[in-house]
Amino acid sequence: DQQVKQNSPSLSVQEGRISILNCDYTNSMFDYFLWYKKYPAEGPTFLISISSIKDKNEDGRFTVFLNKSAKHLSLHIVPSQPGDSAVYFCAASQIQGAQKLVFGQGTRLTINP
Amino acid sequence: DARVTQTPRHKVTEMGQEVTMRCQPILGHNTVFWYRQTMMQGLELLAYFRNRAPLDDSGMPKDRFSAEMPDATLATLKIQPSEPRDSAVYFCASGLGGNQPQHFGDGTRLSIL
């Protein structure tokens, strides 16, 4: 039972264009969502988060959108840069209580020059 | 920048041997998490602590895995006896709880022969 799904294992985008990574979840109890970026041989690095009381959060080139009714979130990166090439994980949890993160399987983003 | 430190970074050992992985959380963080990453299962939570007290270890095989926090600066994950199916990358993360993100170490890559 995969509660958080990233249906695209990989994505290739031209440098300077927009990258859009998608994530779906099934557990309506989740109220806090995060995106992590992971380079090879390193741990996941926190990128951006959003709580369920918002539908958008922006930080520089990164914007996360949350559609609660569709149980869907997306990460937009614009403009995409070569250093953005990495695996991106979507994660979900509940703010109260455990804060246990449930991760998606990840999407490998490649930015082409 | 403060970081979560994990040792060793790599471990290769034979089946049946005891394995101990260590984690130094970020100073001041009161929650510590252990995750395992495999190709098949992705990133999955094994156990976590709050204020050094174990809160949930339902993700761990109880018969061979144990997690402890001897003090606020050290968390350990032990496997005894180890099996080839335990081969994975084990990540430790720490955080402040609530809507604060977890910060990950760079992992211990474990290979059981």
Side-chain angles (χ1 to χ4, degrees):
Chain A
D1 175 26
Q2 208 172 343
Q3 298 184 70
V4 178
K5 295 181 185 178
Q6 294 176 255
N7 291 318
S8 298
S10 62
L11 177 66
S12 188
V13 174
Q14 196 88 17
E15 181 179 358
R17 308 295 284 265
I18 184 170
S19 295
I20 300 176
L21 297 100
N22 293 303
C23 178
D24 297 295
Y25 62 96
T26 57
N27 188 341
S28 57
M29 298 298 292
F30 288 146
D31 56 7
Y32 182 53
F33 305 89
L34 309 90
W35 284 94
Y36 281 83
K37 173 180 177 179
K38 186 181 182 303
Y39 293 121
E42 294 184 10
T45 301
F46 169 72
L47 203 53
I48 193 168
S49 64
I50 189 167
S51 74
S52 59
I53 61 173
K54 294 185 173 182
D55 54 19
K56 176 183 173 181
N57 189 25
E58 191 172 351
D59 183 2
R61 296 186 298 113
F62 303 92
T63 303
V64 55
F65 295 91
L66 175 62
N67 183 334
K68 288 188 290 293
S69 60
K71 293 191 178 68
H72 177 84
L73 64 155
S74 61
L75 174 67
H76 292 209
I77 306 172
V78 55
S80 301
Q81 299 174 353
D84 296 330
S85 295
V87 177
Y88 289 78
F89 290 95
C90 167
S93 74
Q94 297 177 52
I95 291 178
Q96 296 302 319
Q99 207 205 7
K100 295 163 62 171
L101 286 180
V102 179
F103 282 88
Q105 292 289 92
T107 296
R108 181 177 300 278
L109 175 65
T110 302
I111 305 302
N112 301 308
Chain B
D1 281 345
R3 294 180 59 83
V4 173
T5 303
Q6 289 187 247
T7 56
R9 291 295 315 276
H10 303 273
K11 177 75 175 178
V12 180
T13 192
E14 291 187 347
M15 185 174 82
Q17 297 297 307
E18 178 178 300
V19 173
T20 299
M21 291 169 274
R22 294 178 173 79
C23 167
Q24 180 176 351
I26 292 173
L27 189 64
H29 283 187
N30 63 345
T31 56
V32 175
F33 304 81
W34 284 104
Y35 292 88
R36 176 170 63 184
Q37 184 182 28
T38 61
M39 288 294 291
M40 294 300 294
Q41 300 295 328
L43 267 165
E44 52 180 349
L45 180 68
L46 297 176
Y48 71 96
F49 296 77
R50 182 179 295 153
N51 297 322
R52 293 178 55 202
L55 289 192
D56 188 342
D57 60 1
S58 59
M60 290 197 319
K62 301 286 189 307
D63 55 338
R64 299 184 299 106
F65 283 59
S66 62
E68 296 179 347
M69 276 202 77
D71 61 60
T73 65
L74 177 65
T76 62
L77 180 65
K78 290 186 181 180
I79 308 174
Q80 169 62 22
S82 57
E83 297 181 2
R85 59 180 168 153
D86 301 329
S87 297
V89 182
Y90 291 80
F91 289 103
C92 174
S94 70
L96 293 168
N99 63 350
Q100 298 300 311
Q102 297 174 24
H103 297 267
F104 284 74
D106 286 336
T108 294
R109 181 173 294 275
L110 178 64
S111 296
I112 308 298
L113 305 177

